[in-house]
Amino acid sequence: MTPVAAPVPPATPSAAMIRTLALVATVCGVLIVTAYQGTLTAVTANKRVALERAVFKVIPGAVTMREFVATSAGVVPAEGPTPAGGLRFHAAYDRAGALLGVAAEAAATGYADVVRVLYAWSPERQAITGFGVIAHRETPGIGDKIITDAAFLKNFEALDASLSEDMKTLANAIRAVPRGSKRNPWEIDAIAGATVTCKAVGRGINDSASRMLPLLMPELDKLRGDAGTAAGEGATP
Amino acid sequence: MTSRIELRAAPHVSKGASVERIMFNVVVALLPICAFAVVQYGLSALALIVTTTLTCMASERLFNRLAGRPAALSDWSAAITGLLLALTLPPAFPLWMAAVAGFVAIALGKALFGGIGYNVFNPALVGRAFVQAAFPAAITTWVPAYYDGRFTAFIPTTLTAPLMTPPNLSEWVGRHAVDGFTGATPMARWKFENQIAEVGDFLSGMATASVGETSAPLILICGLFLAVRGFLDWRIPVAVLGSAMLLALVFHLADPGRYPPPVFVLLSGGLVLGAVFMATDMATSPVTPLGVWLYGALIGALTVVIRYFGGLTEGVMYAILIGNALAPLLDQLTPPRVFGQARGGLRDHFRRKPETRP
Amino acid sequence: MIPGRQEPTRFEEFMEGIWKQNPVFVMVLGMCPALAVTVSAVNALAMGLATTFVLLGSTLLVSLMRKWVPREVRIATYIVIIATFVTVVDYLIAAISLALYEALGAFIQLIVVNCIILGRAEAHASRNPPGRALINATGMGIGFTIGLFALGSVREILGAGKLFGVALFGPEFQPWVIMVLPPGGFFVLGAWLLLFNWLKTRGAASGKPAEANVHA
């Protein structure tokens, strides 16, 4: 709006510059803190609701949940950052406070990028009983069929995940097999044309389950024992 | 090398090859390939070829009119774009998607750059690249060749209503499948299932592929026709196929269990079609002798690299598009030596010694 | 400014960003969010509104402080102010909708480097009183939002067959996957620019050069 070549004004003393910057920084700091405080409760509530919605979707019937960390030293309620080597998972309970299942995140590299999924494991049936996609960047129309393809999702109604005799790992590695060649309960029947994505899902679940379940199995009572208290504090309005 | 320098006295009158004549000959050379495709895939292939050709010609006319250019001259070139585009599409491709491809080929690949002669990329491949990204499922749906009743009925997906999803073909394929049909191209089968198709399948057109990519010998014969008549730079296909084979051979020798023999790379997919008819597009390939060889070699090598290490099963299309993009640069780097003058360009780049001249 | 031309009216100030100097279609600024988040109409609107909020907030502060900010540290001051409002809007979006927050991803934080905002602070807000600066910033923000919405709606219609999540063509619609991928963003932006330039040249050719060659 004004001519570009304005005459150069005399240099400003440093004190004035520092004063201005300090003033600006103060005003801005106050603004940020106010915004943070004002939105904190809503943001935390949003995050919890989103997580619960995802967990409750893979474990139907669940109404409350608690977060735990499985480490080589045992299972402890999750507080603060996850310790090194620890695996975070969520235990979900029904209205009476009985343990329904465990949900954990699995991830593996698919066709385009990492595919992150949430799977549910049922201690009674020793099987994976639910599946949901958290994030993916697979080709729309092909790789993203893992979210909708009914035949594929049927794999996760009862995907065998029982432990081996020595309780150190899975009895049979979970893996995806080409469409139509599923012979065993621990195999995932892949979607034709989206084999790479399906294999990533199988690999991710296998990695996560084979590391987490051996830590989890001996401590199952801990999850059940806490159920009574969990129902009270984990519930969201 | 075929290039000659003719020295004559004025007046310089030459009939030469007009654009129309070259283009007409290319159309003639493409017709046998189209005919063979119709024999294999019947009505659907015919409808596909007609659709893309008409869409391309109509788009060309529309854009020429919008730009105020005469329309008559370049109609054959639009027809070639349409024919080539159809040959790179799978036989069951819905016609409305083919029409989108044809329009994009001319609009985005040609008209935006200023029409015939100014396009940077091969228009047919621009159209195919667009629909490949837009409709990844439809463009990887394959049907068996020589199925019964192909001259009386369309493949169900061909007549999908515009903007709609084509119906699932697996049931139809199940009824029409010839023994051994897998629903995946030989490249895909090698990549994901580690199976290598028989050479005989490629020669007879039995291999699963796009409309015009099934018979390498036929494509080569048609190319030879053009090359003999001087309408096609034979060095480009030779360089493309040669470098692809050489690189494939190197990989095969290094690890025969993992990489297929070179003949497989040569015959499967659209490498031959691309090398003969698309890489040789005059507007999008280099003109200097050394540049032409480099361009061809680059396309061949890129094809193999994309096929072996890329996410896609087929690499010819992107290899040629990348080659097109580099063509002007190759021309600049490789100017031929002018008689009586110092060398310039690439050779000079690598030979930095001060020249002492008498 | 052309000598002898008087101060633009308030209406002209407002319309500047919407038409004559539209950030997306004329200035081609802020392309990073314009291409990345416009896969749906809702995302595009949210991004446009978030940017408008930051633009208004920073314009107001910059304009209020324009007399006290020394020339040497003005850019540093502007960036601190802009970053503040970006942080605020980041919290606000997370509080309003987590799904939207995740869809917009890093591009909310990246509003801070959106050239429109620093550009307006430097070129307009620092030289005009708050009222005038706010009017101009509102126009710019609306113009940017319109631009993003034009991209986002086309991409959502072709890429998903929907507009604001409502299916337009029924369940059988075949999505044009490329439209929700980055190349689709470039194609649609290119097509809009083509249309705008065509309209402009046509307007100039039909003997209405009135506004065409006045540079603000």
Side-chain angles (χ1 to χ4, degrees):
Chain A
M1 287 292 144
T2 37
V4 183
V8 180
T12 323
S14 303
M17 290 191 221
I18 292 170
R19 207 163 48 226
T20 315
L21 283 179
L23 177 73
V24 170
T26 316
V27 172
C28 292
V30 169
L31 270 173
I32 291 179
V33 170
T34 317
Y36 179 75
Q37 291 295 344
T39 55
L40 187 60
T41 39
V43 173
T44 357
N46 271 348
K47 281 192 176 148
R48 202 174 55 222
V49 168
L51 185 65
E52 279 185 353
R53 203 172 289 152
V55 170
F56 294 169
K57 205 179 137 250
V58 295
I59 308 178
V63 288
T64 56
M65 60 176 226
R66 287 193 71 192
E67 195 171 6
F68 291 91
V69 178
T71 61
S72 45
V75 170
V76 288
E79 271 157 16
T82 316
L87 297 162
R88 250 169 208 274
F89 66 92
H90 310 275
Y93 308 90
D94 66 6
R95 209 164 283 281
L99 179 66
L100 278 178
V102 163
E105 206 186 306
T109 309
Y111 188 82
D113 201 350
V114 173
V115 181
R116 287 170 59 212
V117 302
L118 192 73
Y119 66 93
W121 176 75
S122 156
E124 270 149 45
R125 297 163 63 191
Q126 294 284 308
I128 283 158
T129 53
F131 168 80
V133 178
I134 300 174
H136 78 95
R137 289 183 54 195
E138 305 299 281
T139 321
I142 298 181
D144 67 355
K145 279 191 195 156
I146 55 169
I147 303 175
T148 50
D149 191 280
F152 179 71
L153 295 177
K154 217 171 151 55
N155 285 306
F156 302 98
E157 280 173 8
L159 184 67
D160 180 70
S162 46
L163 289 183
S164 59
E165 293 284 315
D166 60 358
M167 305 274 275
K168 288 269 165 52
T169 182
L170 291 177
N172 303 290
I174 295 166
R175 63 196 189 96
V177 295
R179 187 180 59 153
S181 60
K182 173 170 173 153
R183 300 282 174 270
N184 302 301
W186 56 84
E187 284 170 348
I188 300 169
D189 211 356
I191 302 167
T195 318
V196 178
T197 310
C198 296
K199 283 198 166 151
V201 169
R203 211 165 51 237
I205 293 182
N206 185 56
D207 285 353
S208 166
S210 62
R211 283 195 303 147
M212 189 184 78
L213 296 185
L215 301 175
L216 197 64
M217 273 306 271
E219 312 251 339
L220 264 184
D221 286 339
K222 225 178 206 175
L223 304 184
R224 289 207 180 94
D226 289 347
T229 51
E233 65 180 84
T236 40
Chain B
M1 224 167 272
T2 51
S3 45
R4 290 184 297 263
I5 295 172
E6 293 182 25
L7 294 176
R8 285 192 209 150
H12 300 287
V13 181
S14 152
K15 212 170 110 229
S18 66
V19 173
E20 282 106 327
R21 214 169 125 242
I22 299 174
M23 295 299 176
F24 178 73
N25 273 280
V26 176
V27 171
V28 169
L30 283 172
L31 284 180
I33 303 175
C34 296
F36 185 62
V38 175
V39 170
Q40 284 185 295
Y41 296 108
L43 272 183
S44 285
L46 183 65
L48 192 68
I49 294 168
V50 170
T51 305
T52 53
T53 310
L54 288 183
T55 323
C56 283
M57 289 169 77
S59 313
E60 174 89 0
R61 195 155 279 245
L62 171 77
F63 284 109
N64 277 337
R65 174 176 278 187
L66 282 179
R69 275 193 297 264
L73 172 83
S74 36
D75 268 3
W76 281 121
S77 78
I80 292 173
T81 301
L83 289 175
L84 279 175
L85 178 60
L87 295 180
T88 62
L89 295 172
F93 204 58
L95 294 183
W96 75 265
M97 294 182 188
V100 170
F103 177 78
V104 170
I106 296 295
L108 211 60
K110 197 167 168 192
L112 272 187
F113 291 101
I116 185 167
Y118 295 99
N119 48 315
V120 178
F121 299 102
N122 186 315
L125 289 178
V126 171
R128 194 197 139 100
F130 184 89
V131 286
Q132 163 131 35
F135 312 116
I139 209 153
T140 49
T141 303
W142 307 101
V143 296
Y146 304 117
Y147 64 89
D148 292 332
R150 60 186 179 279
F151 296 116
T152 50
F154 287 103
I155 301 168
T157 49
T158 300
L159 296 179
T160 311
L163 295 181
M164 296 300 144
T165 312
N168 192 331
L169 260 191
S170 48
E171 193 260 344
W172 182 90
V173 167
R175 267 188 291 124
H176 291 82
V178 189
D179 275 354
F181 177 76
T182 57
T185 59
M187 273 318 292
R189 244 155 66 216
W190 165 72
K191 199 156 191 167
F192 298 124
E193 288 157 39
N194 218 355
Q195 289 173 10
I196 292 179
E198 298 285 325
V199 171
D201 281 356
F202 293 123
L203 299 181
S204 65
M206 277 304 290
T208 313
S210 294
V211 170
E213 294 176 350
T214 49
S215 177
L218 183 64
I219 299 169
L220 284 175
I221 291 168
C222 294
L224 203 63
F225 162 79
L226 281 183
V228 166
R229 307 200 63 183
F231 297 130
L232 180 148
D233 191 342
W234 59 273
R235 290 167 298 182
I236 294 176
V238 168
V240 173
L241 299 176
S243 82
M245 265 192 99
L246 209 66
L247 192 60
L249 185 69
V250 169
F251 277 119
H252 183 63
L253 289 180
D255 189 353
R258 185 146 171 238
Y259 299 107
V263 65
F264 175 80
V265 172
L266 202 62
L267 294 178
S268 69
L271 183 59
V272 179
L273 184 73
V276 174
F277 284 103
M278 304 210 214
T280 51
D281 181 352
M282 291 181 181
T284 59
S285 53
V287 290
T288 63
L290 181 60
V292 165
W293 286 109
L294 282 177
Y295 165 84
L298 183 80
I299 292 175
L302 271 176
T303 304
V304 173
V305 169
I306 297 176
R307 280 180 176 180
Y308 284 8
F309 306 106
L312 296 163
T313 54
E314 184 50 277
V316 183
M317 177 179 77
Y318 289 119
I320 295 178
L321 288 174
I322 294 171
N324 289 162
L326 290 178
L329 186 70
L330 289 173
D331 268 343
Q332 258 190 4
L333 286 177
T334 59
R337 187 180 176 185
V338 179
F339 184 71
Q341 303 242 326
R343 290 177 197 277
L346 195 62
R347 288 180 198 168
D348 216 28
H349 273 295
F350 298 117
R351 202 185 285 180
R352 278 288 156 97
K353 278 182 209 156
E355 278 187 34
T356 47
R357 259 183 277 168
Chain C
M1 187 192 271
I2 292 165
R5 193 178 144 92
Q6 42 183 285
E7 284 261 282
T9 64
R10 308 226 142 183
F11 181 69
E12 279 171 345
E13 283 283 16
F14 179 70
M15 287 307 288
E16 187 192 10
I18 293 179
W19 184 253
K20 224 164 58 187
Q21 291 290 312
N22 186 296
V24 175
F25 297 131
V26 180
M27 297 200 280
V28 199
L29 285 180
M31 283 301 102
C32 187
L35 291 169
V37 302
T38 54
V39 293
S40 72
V42 171
N43 283 6
L45 275 187
M47 192 58 182
L49 292 179
T51 309
T52 308
F53 175 84
V54 175
L55 194 55
L56 285 175
S58 56
T59 297
L60 179 66
L61 266 190
V62 167
S63 176
L64 281 174
M65 301 174 89
R66 70 188 188 283
K67 300 245 168 77
W68 302 301
V69 174
R71 209 179 49 85
E72 291 88 341
V73 292
R74 69 186 195 287
I75 300 290
T77 317
Y78 301 158
I79 286 292
V80 170
I81 292 173
I82 295 167
T84 304
F85 282 98
V86 170
T87 313
V88 170
V89 88
D90 187 66
Y91 290 144
L92 281 179
I93 293 181
I96 294 167
S97 162
L98 209 59
L100 187 63
Y101 184 73
E102 271 163 17
L104 297 182
F107 291 97
I108 303 175
Q109 286 94 325
L110 284 177
I111 294 176
V112 78
V113 289
N114 192 322
C115 347
I116 300 167
I117 296 168
L118 187 59
R120 290 332 282 174
E122 169 77 359
H124 197 279
S126 61
R127 296 159 192 204
N128 286 283
R132 189 172 275 279
L134 278 180
I135 290 174
N136 184 277
T138 314
M140 280 289 162
I142 294 176
F144 187 63
T145 311
I146 292 175
L148 293 199
F149 179 71
L151 281 172
S153 51
V154 171
R155 291 179 74 184
E156 190 178 356
I157 290 172
L158 285 178
K162 297 173 182 168
L163 190 61
F164 290 110
V166 179
L168 298 179
F169 304 102
E172 287 291 292
F173 178 77
Q174 167 71 51
W176 299 33
V177 176
I178 193 171
M179 287 301 163
V180 296
L181 299 175
F186 282 98
F187 288 148
V188 177
L189 177 67
W192 277 113
L193 289 179
L194 195 70
L195 185 72
F196 254 70
N197 281 322
W198 184 63
L199 286 177
K200 240 192 202 167
T201 41
R202 221 177 55 140
S206 66
K208 284 198 301 171
E211 308 251 314
N213 47 15
V214 176
H215 294 281

